[in-house]
Amino acid sequence: MSFQRPPTARAALPPEIAFLLAQGVDGRLLARAAAEAAAAGTDAATALLNAGLMSEATYYRALARALGAPYLDGPIAFGLGLAFPGSLVTGLAPLALGSAAPCVLAPRGRAITDLLDGAGRSAMPAITSPTHLRAAVFAAIPGQVADHAAHDLRRRMPERATAREPAFWWLLILALALAATLCLCAALPAPLVRALTLAGQCLFLGMTTLRLAALAIPAPVAAEDGTVPPLADADLPVYTVLVPLHREAAVVPPLIRALAALDYPAAKLDIKLLIEADDRETAVALARIPLPARFAVIAVPPGAPRTKPRALNVALPLARGTLLTVYDAEDDPDPGQLRLAAALFARLPERVACLQGRLVIDNAGDSRLARAFALEYAGLFDVLNPALARCGLPVPLGGTSMHLRTRVLQALGGWDAYNVTEDADLGLRLALAGYAVGDLPSSTFEEAPARFGPWLAQRTRWLKGLIQTSLTHGRRPLANARSLGGLEALCAVALVPGTVASALAYPVCLAAALWAVLVRDIPTASVFLDNLVTGLAITLFGAGLAALVLPSLLGCARRGWGDLARSAPWMPLYFLMVSLAAWLALVELLRAPTRWNKTQHGLARTSRRGRLRRLRSVPRHPATL
């Protein structure tokens, strides 16, 4: 006997929610869900659940009653063939022999309508909610989930994954190569040594010029109205938002409020909040807030390495969105950021696989260190990155607000779980695969460490990850250079190993320059070629200082931050601290290569745009999501 829908429901409501009328659900609520679904161009069940009009468990329990199928809401005894991520991607998992049904299904969208059309058949599966199925699968095969997240990239693309060999051997090889080069130079004739020195100076000058050239490329800090025609709600793609959290209970309420404020159809949002399985404090903070179905809290199974990219890899196969972005716990993105990114992706060629948003430090008034951090970000995200994107060169991605085509990210194997600066590594892997990164002129406000200790730990991790990325992709330097192209390869060298090398050498070069200028006379000769090495050294030092300061000043000018620009003269001293972090990164790479130095958030005392006043007014239980 097939399931019969009431005549009024058949005429007025989509089948995936019409059956609820017979179970006493308010027809006005269902009509609202149907209207929202029609406007967004999605199914009514998703609109109903994502808007929080009905809980997921209530809906699927009602669906099971309508189908005459068993509903599973407790422990699930799975049978042979259970696999991650396959069982969750399909929403179908085998049950053990002797169970009430041969399999359990957590249907979505069109699959619900198909089930209702075939209600009453003898092979009806058991029904459960997608959230319960995911939790049950994670509980049944946590090791398989953890292994996929940590090692899938290495299995699929070993040449693109962090090397298995200890970093000690790579650094030893580099040190021996450097020592051999110095010995060779000592034995070579003076003209040849001078030629090699000039070649090296020209290479570094070329990398510095790349940064300075960005000053000449205009880049507005925000999209101008009308320049990017918005997409209608029905044309917008489903968007996945991944938010890794670890010991972030303090910022959970403002984070949820910021995510709820995103100007995007709720029916097309797939927000996944990722927490570690033993992070009880954050789990409790999330449990206090009634979250609609567009928010999913995913507990990452225990495993090594305990890093942000491993957590992201757990959620990546489960992403339902055509597009995907990552936000950090303290982020407050512009509400229209997803709409703008979707509109840009629709206009750009498929080769553009990523758009990098503008990261902006909000708490610059907390300390001199926070102001320097804000200046650094203004130069990087408002000047350098947009210029690189416009020229089609590799872009050093930020760890947040990078928007990606999900299928491309999945094809690349996701993130490298063993790289502690997974964003820079992903940016380089995108370039090596032939993809481009575009600029997204939309701001995401972040909190910078205001004290030296937390800042140093964070920067040490970042630079350690850049070293990991350099060693990983430096295993095949000639092949990778051919894949990238000449200028692109120079850019990649300047941005990844060049950043670390310049940070390591900066105090030595600064001390040598000050010694030469203040204590010794600059040597001169009567022959031009004999002066060329000295002249290039002076030029390179000056250009390097300019590359440190001028992008930050221009970034401040573009944002109208005249007060912050006054701190720019302190940037050379700030980069001495960056150099300290680079040397510590070398030590940490040897002692704890995958250690993730956690940055505590929610400590900001100031806000350039009055954000703290708004966040402090956020209720403990946000009422409208």
Side-chain angles (χ1 to χ4, degrees):
M1 178 178 177
S2 64
F3 174 74
Q4 299 294 321
R5 304 184 191 90
T8 55
R10 189 186 305 119
L13 296 173
E16 63 269 20
I17 61 172
F19 72 91
L20 294 168
L21 277 175
Q23 301 199 30
V25 177
D26 188 343
R28 291 170 298 180
L29 182 146
L30 300 179
R32 175 182 167 187
E36 292 186 6
T42 188
D43 67 278
T46 300
L48 179 77
L49 299 177
N50 278 18
L53 301 178
M54 177 179 287
S55 74
E56 192 183 60
T58 300
Y59 175 85
Y60 281 94
R61 187 175 283 108
L63 177 63
R65 285 196 298 268
L67 294 170
Y71 178 74
L72 305 184
D73 60 353
I76 299 179
F78 292 109
L80 296 176
L82 183 67
F84 179 86
S87 297
L88 293 180
V89 172
T90 61
L92 182 67
L95 292 176
L97 293 176
S99 299
C103 59
V104 59
L105 179 66
R108 297 179 186 270
R110 179 66 188 175
I112 296 174
T113 303
D114 293 340
L115 276 174
L116 291 167
D117 287 340
R121 64 188 180 186
S122 57
M124 180 63 65
I127 299 297
T128 193
S129 70
T131 297
H132 187 67
L133 179 62
R134 184 188 65 246
V137 170
F138 276 41
I141 51 172
Q144 191 179 137
V145 177
D147 179 75
H148 176 93
H151 303 120
D152 187 57
L153 173 63
R154 181 171 289 173
R155 279 192 289 264
R156 293 169 57 186
M157 303 176 187
E159 73 282 1
R160 295 284 181 252
T162 298
R164 288 179 177 272
E165 298 85 355
F168 169 79
W169 296 110
W170 290 106
L171 295 178
L172 179 61
I173 291 171
L174 289 175
L176 291 175
L178 178 61
T181 301
L182 293 176
C183 293
L184 181 62
C185 288
L188 291 174
L192 188 54
V193 172
R194 183 172 59 192
L196 292 174
T197 302
L198 288 173
Q201 288 177 321
C202 290
L203 175 63
F204 279 99
L205 188 60
M207 292 191 294
T208 304
T209 302
L210 277 174
R211 291 181 177 269
L212 292 175
L215 301 173
I217 300 176
V221 297
E224 298 177 7
D225 292 341
T227 57
V228 184
L231 299 176
D233 285 5
D235 296 327
L236 289 170
V238 175
Y239 223 116
T240 292
V241 178
L242 304 182
V243 188
L245 305 170
H246 183 48
R247 301 199 304 271
E248 298 286 7
V251 298
V252 162
L255 169 67
I256 298 302
R257 179 57 60 89
L259 294 174
L262 291 172
D263 178 20
Y264 209 80
K268 289 186 170 178
L269 276 177
D270 171 34
I271 301 173
K272 300 187 186 302
L273 308 170
L274 313 174
I275 64 173
E276 294 292 334
D278 61 354
D279 187 2
R280 178 170 174 77
E281 184 180 358
T282 306
V284 169
L286 288 168
R288 292 193 185 109
I289 303 173
L291 297 173
R294 68 181 184 273
F295 291 86
V297 179
I298 299 178
V300 177
R306 197 177 176 110
T307 60
K308 171 184 172 181
R310 185 183 80 97
L312 293 172
N313 283 340
V314 168
L316 178 59
L318 312 181
R320 302 200 311 276
T322 304
L323 302 177
L324 175 149
T325 190
V326 176
Y327 290 131
D328 283 342
E330 81 279 18
D331 284 356
D332 187 8
D334 182 271
Q337 188 171 113
L338 301 189
R339 280 187 181 270
L340 177 60
L344 283 172
F345 272 123
R347 299 175 60 190
L348 292 168
E350 289 292 312
R351 179 175 175 273
V352 180
C354 178
L355 297 174
Q356 175 61 60
R358 309 289 182 83
L359 304 185
V360 184
I361 297 303
D362 191 45
N363 63 320
D366 277 10
S367 67
R368 191 181 296 276
L369 184 60
R371 286 194 291 276
F373 206 135
L375 281 164
E376 184 183 17
Y377 263 35
L380 178 60
F381 289 101
D382 287 332
V383 179
L384 180 61
N385 277 5
L388 294 174
R390 180 166 293 189
C391 296
L393 297 173
V395 175
L397 297 179
T400 174
S401 295
M402 71 282 200
H403 298 251
L404 298 130
R405 299 188 195 271
T406 307
R407 61 168 184 81
V408 172
L409 181 57
Q410 291 174 336
L412 290 178
W415 290 270
D416 189 337
Y418 285 84
N419 192 310
V420 296
T421 309
E422 78 293 338
D423 42 5
D425 173 74
L426 179 59
L428 193 50
R429 284 196 288 125
L430 284 167
L432 288 167
Y435 292 105
V437 175
D439 175 44
L440 180 64
S442 175
S443 297
T444 296
F445 290 83
E446 292 199 319
E447 176 187 349
R451 295 184 297 108
F452 178 70
W455 177 91
L456 184 63
Q458 183 189 69
R459 189 55 58 102
T460 298
R461 172 173 61 80
W462 288 0
L463 289 165
K464 179 174 67 173
L466 290 182
I467 301 172
Q468 289 177 316
T469 303
S470 303
L471 296 177
T472 297
H473 301 291
R475 289 175 293 184
R476 304 170 62 200
L478 295 180
N480 288 339
R482 284 194 298 269
S483 297
L484 291 172
L487 185 59
E488 291 82 357
L490 178 64
C491 181
V493 170
L495 296 173
V496 184
T499 297
V500 180
S502 61
L504 293 172
Y506 177 68
V508 177
C509 294
L510 182 62
L514 293 175
W515 177 264
V517 171
L518 300 177
V519 179
R520 297 179 55 195
D521 292 331
I522 297 176
T524 59
S526 58
V527 180
F528 172 75
L529 287 178
D530 292 337
N531 287 322
L532 191 55
V533 171
T534 301
L536 275 176
I538 296 172
T539 302
L540 184 58
F541 184 76
L545 286 179
L548 294 180
V549 176
L550 293 183
S552 297
L553 285 174
L554 181 57
C556 287
R558 288 176 176 174
R559 289 201 171 267
W561 289 354
D563 60 325
L564 192 61
R566 291 195 292 268
S567 298
W570 293 98
M571 293 304 285
L573 295 179
Y574 173 75
F575 282 102
L576 281 176
M577 295 191 296
V578 174
S579 179
L580 173 61
W583 285 101
L584 290 176
L586 281 176
V587 175
E588 193 170 286
L589 183 68
L590 298 174
R591 300 182 61 184
T594 61
R595 184 168 67 197
W596 189 277
N597 298 328
K598 175 74 175 68
T599 304
Q600 187 177 358
H601 301 121
L603 304 177
R605 295 180 290 104
T606 64
S607 172
R608 295 192 66 82
R609 59 189 189 120
R611 181 188 180 203
L612 288 179
R613 287 192 295 272
R614 296 200 304 276
L615 295 187
R616 284 167 181 160
S617 68
V618 173
R620 192 174 184 84
H621 305 278
T624 304
L625 297 176

Coordinates of all heavy atoms in Angstrom, one line a residue, residues 352-381:
V352 N 40.4 29.7 -12.4 CA 40.5 30.4 -11.1 C 39.7 29.6 -10.1 O 38.5 29.5 -10.0 CB 39.8 31.8 -11.2 CG1 39.9 32.5 -9.9 CG2 40.5 32.7 -12.3
A353 N 40.5 28.9 -9.3 CA 40.0 27.9 -8.3 C 39.8 28.5 -6.9 O 39.2 27.8 -6.1 CB 40.9 26.7 -8.3
C354 N 40.4 29.7 -6.7 CA 40.4 30.2 -5.3 C 40.3 31.7 -5.4 O 40.8 32.4 -6.3 CB 41.7 29.8 -4.6 SG 41.8 30.4 -2.9
L355 N 39.6 32.3 -4.4 CA 39.6 33.8 -4.2 C 40.0 34.0 -2.8 O 39.5 33.4 -1.8 CB 38.2 34.3 -4.4 CG 37.6 34.2 -5.8 CD1 36.1 34.7 -5.8 CD2 38.4 35.0 -6.8
Q356 N 41.0 34.9 -2.6 CA 41.5 35.2 -1.3 C 40.9 36.5 -0.8 O 41.0 37.6 -1.4 CB 43.0 35.3 -1.3 CG 43.6 35.8 0.0 CD 43.3 34.8 1.2 OE1 43.7 33.7 1.1 NE2 42.6 35.3 2.2
G357 N 40.2 36.5 0.3 CA 39.6 37.6 0.9 C 40.7 38.5 1.6 O 41.8 38.1 1.8
R358 N 40.2 39.7 2.1 CA 41.2 40.6 2.7 C 41.1 40.4 4.3 O 40.0 40.6 4.9 CB 40.8 42.1 2.4 CG 40.6 42.3 0.9 CD 42.0 42.3 0.2 NE 41.8 42.6 -1.2 CZ 41.7 43.9 -1.7 NH1 41.8 44.9 -0.9 NH2 41.6 44.1 -3.0
L359 N 42.2 40.0 4.9 CA 42.2 39.8 6.3 C 42.7 41.1 6.9 O 43.7 41.7 6.5 CB 43.2 38.7 6.7 CG 42.9 37.3 6.1 CD1 43.8 36.3 6.6 CD2 41.4 36.9 6.3
V360 N 41.9 41.6 7.9 CA 42.1 42.9 8.5 C 42.2 42.7 10.0 O 41.4 42.1 10.6 CB 41.0 43.9 8.2 CG1 41.3 45.3 8.7 CG2 40.8 43.9 6.7
I361 N 43.3 43.3 10.6 CA 43.4 43.3 12.1 C 42.6 44.3 12.7 O 42.7 45.5 12.4 CB 44.9 43.5 12.5 CG1 45.8 42.3 11.9 CG2 45.0 43.5 14.0 CD1 45.3 40.9 12.4
D362 N 41.7 43.9 13.6 CA 40.7 44.9 14.2 C 41.2 45.5 15.5 O 40.8 46.6 15.8 CB 39.4 44.1 14.5 CG 38.3 45.0 14.8 OD1 38.1 46.0 14.1 OD2 37.5 44.7 15.8
N363 N 42.1 44.8 16.2 CA 42.5 45.3 17.6 C 43.8 46.0 17.6 O 44.7 45.7 18.5 CB 42.5 44.1 18.6 CG 43.5 43.1 18.2 OD1 43.7 42.7 17.1 ND2 44.1 42.5 19.3
A364 N 44.1 46.8 16.6 CA 45.4 47.4 16.4 C 45.7 48.3 17.6 O 46.9 48.6 17.9 CB 45.5 48.3 15.2
G365 N 44.7 48.8 18.4 CA 45.0 49.7 19.5 C 45.4 49.0 20.8 O 45.7 49.6 21.8
D366 N 45.5 47.6 20.7 CA 45.8 46.9 22.0 C 47.2 47.1 22.4 O 47.5 47.1 23.6 CB 45.5 45.4 21.8 CG 44.1 45.1 22.0 OD1 43.2 46.0 22.1 OD2 43.8 43.9 22.0
S367 N 48.2 47.2 21.4 CA 49.6 47.3 21.8 C 50.3 47.8 20.5 O 49.8 47.7 19.4 CB 50.1 46.0 22.3 OG 50.1 45.0 21.2
R368 N 51.6 48.1 20.7 CA 52.5 48.5 19.6 C 52.6 47.3 18.7 O 52.7 47.4 17.5 CB 53.8 49.0 20.1 CG 54.7 49.6 19.0 CD 56.0 50.1 19.5 NE 55.9 51.1 20.5 CZ 55.7 52.4 20.2 NH1 55.7 52.8 19.0 NH2 55.6 53.3 21.2
L369 N 52.7 46.1 19.3 CA 52.9 44.8 18.5 C 51.6 44.6 17.7 O 51.8 44.2 16.5 CB 53.1 43.7 19.5 CG 53.4 42.3 18.8 CD1 54.6 42.4 18.0 CD2 53.5 41.2 19.9
A370 N 50.5 44.8 18.2 CA 49.2 44.6 17.4 C 49.2 45.6 16.3 O 48.7 45.3 15.2 CB 48.0 44.8 18.3
R371 N 49.7 46.9 16.5 CA 49.7 47.8 15.4 C 50.6 47.4 14.3 O 50.3 47.5 13.1 CB 50.1 49.2 15.9 CG 49.0 49.9 16.7 CD 49.3 51.4 17.0 NE 50.5 51.6 17.9 CZ 50.4 51.6 19.2 NH1 49.2 51.3 19.8 NH2 51.5 51.8 19.9
A372 N 51.8 46.9 14.7 CA 52.7 46.4 13.6 C 52.1 45.2 12.9 O 52.3 45.1 11.6 CB 54.0 45.9 14.3
F373 N 51.4 44.3 13.6 CA 50.7 43.2 12.9 C 49.7 43.8 11.9 O 49.5 43.3 10.8 CB 50.0 42.4 14.0 CG 49.8 40.9 13.6 CD1 50.1 39.9 14.5 CD2 49.3 40.6 12.4 CE1 49.9 38.6 14.2 CE2 49.1 39.2 12.0 CZ 49.4 38.2 12.9
A374 N 48.9 44.8 12.3 CA 47.9 45.4 11.4 C 48.6 46.0 10.2 O 48.0 45.9 9.1 CB 47.1 46.4 12.2
L375 N 49.7 46.6 10.4 CA 50.4 47.2 9.3 C 50.9 46.1 8.3 O 50.8 46.2 7.1 CB 51.6 48.0 9.8 CG 51.4 49.4 10.3 CD1 52.6 49.9 11.1 CD2 51.1 50.3 9.2
E376 N 51.4 45.0 8.9 CA 51.9 43.9 8.1 C 50.8 43.3 7.2 O 50.9 43.1 6.0 CB 52.5 42.9 9.0 CG 53.1 41.7 8.2 CD 53.6 40.6 9.2 OE1 53.2 40.6 10.4 OE2 54.4 39.8 8.7
Y377 N 49.6 43.1 7.8 CA 48.5 42.6 7.1 C 47.9 43.6 6.1 O 47.5 43.1 5.0 CB 47.3 42.3 8.1 CG 47.3 40.8 8.5 CD1 48.5 40.1 8.7 CD2 46.1 40.2 8.8 CE1 48.4 38.7 9.0 CE2 46.0 38.8 9.1 CZ 47.2 38.1 9.3 OH 47.2 36.8 9.6
A378 N 48.0 44.9 6.3 CA 47.5 45.8 5.4 C 48.4 45.8 4.1 O 47.9 45.9 3.0 CB 47.6 47.2 6.0
G379 N 49.7 45.6 4.3 CA 50.6 45.5 3.2 C 50.4 44.2 2.4 O 50.5 44.2 1.2
L380 N 50.2 43.1 3.1 CA 50.0 41.8 2.5 C 48.7 41.6 1.8 O 48.6 41.3 0.6 CB 50.2 40.7 3.5 CG 50.1 39.2 3.0 CD1 51.1 38.9 1.9 CD2 50.2 38.3 4.2
F381 N 47.6 41.9 2.5 CA 46.3 41.6 1.9 C 45.6 42.7 1.1 O 44.7 42.4 0.4 CB 45.4 41.1 3.1 CG 45.7 39.7 3.6 CD1 46.5 39.6 4.8 CD2 45.4 38.6 2.9 CE1 46.8 38.4 5.3 CE2 45.8 37.3 3.4 CZ 46.5 37.2 4.6

